[in-house]
Amino acid sequence: MAILKKKWFKQIMKLDFKENIILENKSVRIEPLEKRHFEYLTDIVTRTPDLLKYAPPKFGTAELLLEYIENNIALRNSGSKYPFAIFDKTKNAYAGSTSYLNISQKNQRMEIGSSWLGKRFQRTGLNHNCKFLLMRYAFEELEFERIEFKTDSRNLQSQKAIERIGGQYEGLLRSH
């Protein structure tokens, strides 16, 4: 007589880079970043050229924005980053961008980052709504186990925003 035991394997969900992920609530819609967003985001970038002063990519001109968008689309196509455009429903305007990045499907963890919002969209609750939707999708739909946030040690505004959504400081990455 043989005894068969049913083995339960947790199926690991994967982020599908080919899927057009759209996340929304009453305040915000987050949609895949595309070249068409260039015309909507150019004004934000040219009015606030220091918006990404703590981030590696050069920023602040229409030409650099186009390069930024094209690079992010290429990273999505290669399966290493999933960039989004952020649309503020209350202001009926595009507000900036955010991404899933540093994705480890095997370890079920990812970072939410490369986020930027135009000045008039900051401190309005929009970022909180974006992060909530992104985390909910990652945890509930993709069943990821860990979400990471990183920010430059000089970027106090981003550090406070991470704390407001419940992020806990875990350490300093030197020379990162």
Side-chain angles (χ1 to χ4, degrees), residues 92-118:
N92 197 33
Y94 282 93
S97 180
T98 191
S99 300
Y100 285 141
L101 63 155
N102 295 324
I103 301 156
S104 173
Q105 307 267 23
K106 179 182 176 186
N107 297 310
Q108 296 176 291
R109 68 164 173 75
M110 71 170 72
E111 179 182 345
I112 294 175
S114 291
S115 302
W116 52 272
L117 292 172

Side-chain angles (χ1 to χ4, degrees), residues 22-136:
I22 298 173
L23 308 172
E24 63 185 313
N25 62 20
K26 65 179 178 147
S27 303
V28 66
R29 182 177 66 245
I30 305 169
E31 59 195 36
L33 183 66
E34 299 174 348
K35 277 191 178 180
R36 69 180 181 85
H37 293 109
F38 171 77
E39 68 178 287
Y40 303 112
L41 298 172
T42 303
D43 189 54
I44 293 170
V45 170
T46 56
R47 286 180 186 260
T48 50
D50 67 338
L51 196 57
L52 294 183
K53 67 182 172 185
Y54 299 116
K58 293 180 180 176
F59 211 64
T61 67
E63 294 79 18
L64 290 172
L65 173 63
L66 183 58
E67 185 179 314
Y68 176 88
I69 290 172
E70 289 173 344
N71 183 51
N72 273 271
I73 291 169
L75 290 169
R76 178 180 172 197
N77 290 336
S78 73
S80 60
K81 182 178 183 180
Y82 198 114
F84 295 94
I86 300 168
F87 183 80
D88 184 329
K89 289 181 172 183
T90 60
K91 291 184 172 45
N92 197 33
Y94 282 93
S97 180
T98 191
S99 300
Y100 285 141
L101 63 155
N102 295 324
I103 301 156
S104 173
Q105 307 267 23
K106 179 182 176 186
N107 297 310
Q108 296 176 291
R109 68 164 173 75
M110 71 170 72
E111 179 182 345
I112 294 175
S114 291
S115 302
W116 52 272
L117 292 172
K119 294 284 185 195
R120 75 182 183 117
F121 302 98
Q122 295 175 11
R123 306 279 306 166
T124 64
L126 185 66
N127 185 51
H128 188 273
N129 277 281
C130 288
K131 297 304 188 273
F132 173 78
L133 289 171
L134 290 164
M135 288 189 297
R136 185 174 70 184

Side-chain angles (χ1 to χ4, degrees), residues 121-154:
F121 302 98
Q122 295 175 11
R123 306 279 306 166
T124 64
L126 185 66
N127 185 51
H128 188 273
N129 277 281
C130 288
K131 297 304 188 273
F132 173 78
L133 289 171
L134 290 164
M135 288 189 297
R136 185 174 70 184
Y137 185 79
F139 285 132
E140 294 179 9
E141 298 298 320
L142 299 175
E143 297 180 350
F144 272 49
E145 294 182 9
R146 180 178 172 87
I147 301 293
E148 301 169 355
F149 295 91
K150 297 174 188 162
T151 187
D152 190 284
S153 61
R154 299 166 292 175

